[in-house]
Amino acid sequence: MIGPPAQAGAHGATAPKKVGILLVAFGSSEASAQVSFDNIDRAVRQAYPQVPVRWAYTSHIIRAKLADQGKVLDSPAMALARLHDEKFTHVAVQSLHTIAGEEYHELRRIVGGFQAMALFEKIVMGHPLMATQADMEAVVDTILANLPQARRADEGVVFMGHGTHHPADAGYAALMYRLQLKDPQIFVGTVEGYPDVELILGQLKQRKINKVYLMPFMSVAGDHAKNDMAGSEDDSWVSIFTGAGIQCVPILKGTAEYDGFVKIWVAHAGEALKALH
Ligand code: CO
């Protein structure tokens, strides 16, 4: 005879409360990206010194590449299993993604699975960088506060977002709209979504902009920033704009290298921690 269903939570009733933060990024195998991750790690530990911090990378390819270099990074599921094994009872999973796109929702499904298994008393997820209109306002303020100092008002600034087939892709155009209300010479294009580089090029020509600063709108200055944005291949943004007579100054710095952006992620982790209580 099978007894009543076990209440996983009940077993933990006597276990002392143990709170942890799991930071989850896509990951990068580029050494240049590590400065971004270190920056976020430091800021989260400073803000919540009593809470242990763990990391996971969602990208299988990146994890395999790092493993070849002897660096073992967990997947989100593996990291959560470890936290359970270490008797954590409350876990805040903080997405270090830029928008709530495909990868963010994949992570949500994993967190949902752990919720269903009731291995933790509580597990909640923090928003990515830009989830709400308030986030977008904070992102706009941070961008405006960190524009290249040498830039003159008539010169353009073009951000390269990742872009996605996911509906959250709309956030990039919305961000550009908000930015242009404050500074009409700022543009937001994407590698894989909308607006694309041709659309941005058309805008630059229409406004007769002959010099632009190119900046990644991604947490790290990794492969996309180095190659798709600033690379020497014919289809890099630098090559496309330069070919159209527009002078380019690429700035290889991910958003997580700026304290202003990091603050937004840290605040979201704080909201997730609060929701654990
Ligand atoms: Co990509």
Side-chain angles (χ1 to χ4, degrees):
M1 202 129 159
I2 298 166
Q7 294 242 296
H11 294 294
T14 51
K17 185 174 184 180
K18 195 173 172 188
V19 181
I21 296 178
L22 177 63
L23 299 176
V24 183
F26 176 75
S28 175
S29 55
E30 301 279 330
S32 59
Q34 197 52 45
V35 53
S36 284
F37 296 139
D38 290 346
N39 205 24
I40 293 179
D41 188 74
R42 201 179 317 114
V44 170
R45 287 175 200 272
Q46 258 169 25
Y48 316 109
Q50 71 287 8
V51 187
V53 176
R54 302 291 158 80
W55 278 81
Y57 285 180
T58 58
S59 168
H60 192 272
I61 296 170
I62 301 284
R63 275 185 281 117
K65 259 193 203 172
L66 289 172
D68 284 345
Q69 302 166 17
K71 290 177 211 151
V72 178
L73 261 294
D74 282 338
S75 66
M78 185 62 91
L80 288 170
R82 270 191 225 286
L83 285 165
H84 169 62
D85 206 48
E86 291 174 45
K87 299 198 166 18
F88 279 84
T89 57
H90 294 70
V91 179
V93 179
Q94 179 55 48
S95 150
L96 301 179
H97 299 112
T98 297
I99 57 166
E102 186 65 37
E103 286 155 25
Y104 171 83
H105 283 93
E106 221 166 87
L107 180 59
R108 278 203 83 88
R109 284 193 286 278
I110 293 163
V111 169
F114 275 82
Q115 251 161 4
M117 287 190 280
L119 295 177
F120 302 109
E121 279 180 46
K122 206 158 185 190
I123 177 169
V124 296
M125 231 180 121
H127 280 159
L129 181 71
M130 203 169 72
T132 65
Q133 293 296 339
D135 293 339
M136 212 179 282
E137 258 181 70
V139 166
V140 167
D141 290 344
T142 306
I143 285 175
L144 295 174
N146 289 285
L147 292 173
Q149 286 187 347
R151 178 222 175 197
R152 299 195 321 244
D154 62 321
E155 294 169 343
V157 179
V158 177
F159 284 91
M160 174 191 259
H162 194 281
T164 171
H165 56 89
H166 189 278
D169 193 50
Y172 295 105
L175 175 63
M176 179 156 78
Y177 179 80
R178 274 185 178 271
L179 282 165
Q180 292 193 347
L181 291 177
K182 308 261 186 182
D183 182 334
Q185 311 286 74
I186 304 181
F187 304 84
V188 182
T190 67
V191 188
E192 291 176 19
Y194 179 92
D196 62 15
V197 66
E198 278 75 30
L199 190 153
I200 301 299
L201 177 62
Q203 295 274 299
L204 294 174
K205 282 182 179 166
Q206 202 176 45
R207 298 189 203 182
K208 301 191 170 35
I209 294 173
N210 52 31
K211 181 176 176 183
V212 293
Y213 291 84
L214 291 174
M215 302 170 77
F217 184 61
M218 302 183 207
S219 60
V220 304
D223 183 53
H224 287 302
K226 278 186 176 174
N227 299 312
D228 299 318
M229 190 184 91
S232 51
E233 299 280 312
D234 286 352
D235 57 354
S236 78
W237 288 21
V238 162
S239 298
I240 291 169
F241 294 155
T242 305
I246 299 164
Q247 194 193 333
C248 292
V249 183
I251 298 173
L252 287 167
K253 214 171 152 185
T255 50
E257 292 181 60
Y258 298 86
D259 291 342
F261 293 111
V262 170
K263 254 189 211 160
I264 300 171
W265 273 298
V266 169
H268 289 173
E271 286 159 19
L273 284 171
K274 226 183 242 168
L276 284 178
H277 297 301

